[in-house]
Amino acid sequence: MPTDDSTKTLRTTATSIEILKQLEAIDGARVSEIAERMDKPKSTIHGHLATLKQEQFVIKEGDFYFIGPELLRLGNQVRTREPAFVLARQFTERLFEETRLRSIFTVEMGGKAVFLHTASGSKMGWSHEQLGNRLFLHNTAVGKAILAELPEPRIEQIIDRWGLPQETENTTTDREALFEELERVREQGYAVNRAENFNELYAIGVAATRRSGDVIGGFSVTGPAHSVTGEDRKAELAHTVKDIVSEFELELALA
Amino acid sequence: MPTDDSTKTLRTTATSIEILKQLEAIDGARVSEIAERMDKPKSTIHGHLATLKQEQFVIKEGDFYFIGPELLRLGNQVRTREPAFVLARQFTERLFEETRLRSIFTVEMGGKAVFLHTASGSKMGWSHEQLGNRLFLHNTAVGKAILAELPEPRIEQIIDRWGLPQETENTTTDREALFEELERVREQGYAVNRAENFNELYAIGVAATRRSGDVIGGFSVTGPAHSVTGEDRKAELAHTVKDIVSEFELELALA
DNA sequence: ACCAGCTGTTCGACTATCCTGAACTTTAAA
DNA sequence: TTTAAAGTTCAGGATAGTCGAACAGCTGGT
């Protein structure tokens, strides 16, 4: 269920943002290219780009416009807002060193899972940097690990907002079943994603909490299902992730 | 002299952006807090925030607003636009592993030096993640290394735009002197920053180019001046950075 | 060298729409 | 319960964004 937008929104700001999204979609563009795509006069687009350029939200190279460094700077603030997020980076990298699997640090924002740090080896085909991407909580490993630590009303609230959309045949779409799984996650201390949002994907996620009990985020390792096989291997991985999280929580408590 | 376009800019977009900057400055804020700081009615700010929230440029937690994940996602596109930039990340990390000094990958955008990747150890006090920050080219190590590889008209253009502002007593503020130093950089293959933009800072930077000859960006290592001493050590560091750059250029050429 | 066709940019008038202040609702504290 | 302060809604009026046309600058073709 999509969110409400009944409230009057600012058209001007909205089109400025739309232009930024266009610039991201295609890799930089000229004025008329965007004008055509958005079905708006060139002069309008030009005005927006001039404003965005002044703030360095876009930069201009020749006649091409690109996303600018100020956007990178501001966006990055999401990752530095909390000291815990900054600390999490090196633990993400350690997790990768130990497992040699793509490692991610994720936080919950607005009821979704947002990637803040990723670490992966050189030759990993699909390792685009997906920072800021938003995934569902109910069908990802860290997502479920985080959910399991949230107070129940909050869980309800999130499910009400986003529902339990089915993305593969393995997705848990039943409310009851999800809560049962969360209980299992709490017992064993980690969550597993068995191709629930992408086929052929296997992931293990563990939530990190403060001493107060509330969740900071979660660490996870991800790999192609066919390469992560055998109960021993899986158990060992779960153990490794849990260890990293423990050390992370400890270091955070000491700081 | 700063380039100020007197061209009509869009007020609405400009204030939306101003709000984002306020949210970054203080760490998340409520409506009235921003309204007060910007000396505008609450209802105005509310409208902007509602629009920004709809696009996930901000998120709302309780009555507090924070920079949102969509901004992180868009901003990060700056780092993934070119495959070379993505590849540069792992080399930045390797550089850190080998030198144990804060390592940075920087590109030139709009005549300034923009940090795209940083790698530094756990216990480095000042290692805030400054991605997207913009520094001058004339008084930084990578900056000079990059300048040295640019065609002369471009260098002139950049100096005309930003000037040669003095930031410490070591800053080169004379045009002639700068060109002489760039010549030296070309000869030795690396540039040095001897506390030219921050006191007590020492840095070595090397530019990376494509086979076509044009610059991709540059790698650098940075440390407190008092900890990087001795000509041997410095020469060894320069050698290490140059090696990394060579390997980077090679791998890029092969891909 | 010239022109044709494309781009980016400027400009002024119109009117859509953003701003504003006040009214209303909600939350928190006294 | 009352008070205060914050968030949110609303409608009218003035501002400021939109639009189209005209200008300028570049590119490639003939």
Side-chain angles (χ1 to χ4, degrees), chain A residues 53-252:
Chain A
K53 179 185 156 197
Q54 191 175 314
E55 306 285 349
Q56 298 256 52
F57 266 47
V58 304
I59 59 150
K60 189 183 177 185
E61 284 175 11
D63 279 342
F64 284 83
Y65 290 87
F66 299 91
I67 304 277
E70 181 68 2
L71 212 54
L72 173 61
R73 198 180 66 82
L74 280 177
N76 206 55
Q77 203 259 10
V78 173
R79 306 203 300 169
T80 57
R81 182 160 70 228
E82 302 213 23
F85 297 170
V86 176
L87 184 68
R89 177 178 167 185
Q90 51 189 280
F91 281 87
T92 310
E93 266 150 24
R94 280 180 48 190
L95 187 56
F96 169 69
E97 292 307 325
E98 293 186 25
T99 63
R100 287 280 124 188
L101 290 176
R102 178 175 166 83
S103 304
I104 307 175
F105 174 72
T106 306
V107 299
E108 178 266 325
M109 288 179 80
K112 287 235 180 176
V114 179
F115 293 179
L116 290 199
H117 300 292
T118 64
S120 55
S122 29
K123 296 290 188 295
M124 293 195 176
W126 56 294
S127 73
H128 337 94
E129 307 292 293
Q130 308 168 300
L131 301 189
N133 263 11
R134 298 177 289 284
L135 276 59
F136 289 106
L137 294 173
H138 75 287
N139 61 4
T140 53
V142 242
K144 287 186 288 186
I146 290 173
L147 274 182
E149 295 294 330
L150 291 173
E152 187 157 333
R154 187 74 212 288
I155 304 179
E156 299 282 2
Q157 188 186 355
I158 290 173
I159 299 179
D160 288 344
R161 165 144 195 208
W162 297 108
L164 301 172
Q166 179 151 27
E167 298 195 302
T168 73
E169 55 181 4
N170 289 0
T171 309
T172 303
T173 58
D174 178 58
R175 214 175 177 106
E176 275 308 307
L178 180 63
F179 273 100
E180 280 167 27
E181 178 159 9
L182 293 185
E183 184 51 39
R184 215 176 317 135
V185 169
R186 276 184 283 263
E187 280 165 21
Q188 62 192 10
Y190 65 92
V192 176
N193 174 357
R194 293 186 183 82
E196 289 162 42
N197 59 341
F198 292 108
N199 287 319
E200 277 303 306
L201 185 114
Y202 183 86
I204 294 177
V206 177
T209 61
R210 301 187 194 278
R211 276 181 300 181
S212 63
D214 44 38
V215 199
I216 300 160
F219 293 84
S220 62
V221 292
T222 309
H226 60 83
S227 81
V228 185
T229 53
E231 284 312 309
D232 310 347
R233 177 81 202 286
K234 291 175 180 175
E236 185 199 334
L237 277 176
H239 195 73
T240 307
V241 183
K242 281 166 77 170
D243 274 359
I244 287 280
V245 170
S246 299
E247 291 178 42
F248 171 71
E249 289 171 340
L250 180 63
E251 185 153 338
L252 201 65

Side-chain angles (χ1 to χ4, degrees), chain A residues 1-16:
Chain A
M1 215 176 172
T3 50
D4 64 299
D5 50 78
S6 48
T7 36
K8 276 284 176 196
T9 79
L10 306 187
R11 280 185 74 87
T12 309
T13 297
T15 59
S16 278

Side-chain angles (χ1 to χ4, degrees), chain B residues 26-43:
Chain B
I26 43 190
D27 245 54
R30 11 185 64 208
V31 174
S32 46
E33 209 171 339
I34 300 176
E36 196 179 9
R37 278 174 164 256
M38 292 179 58
D39 195 34
K40 286 200 154 57
K42 288 185 298 180
S43 50

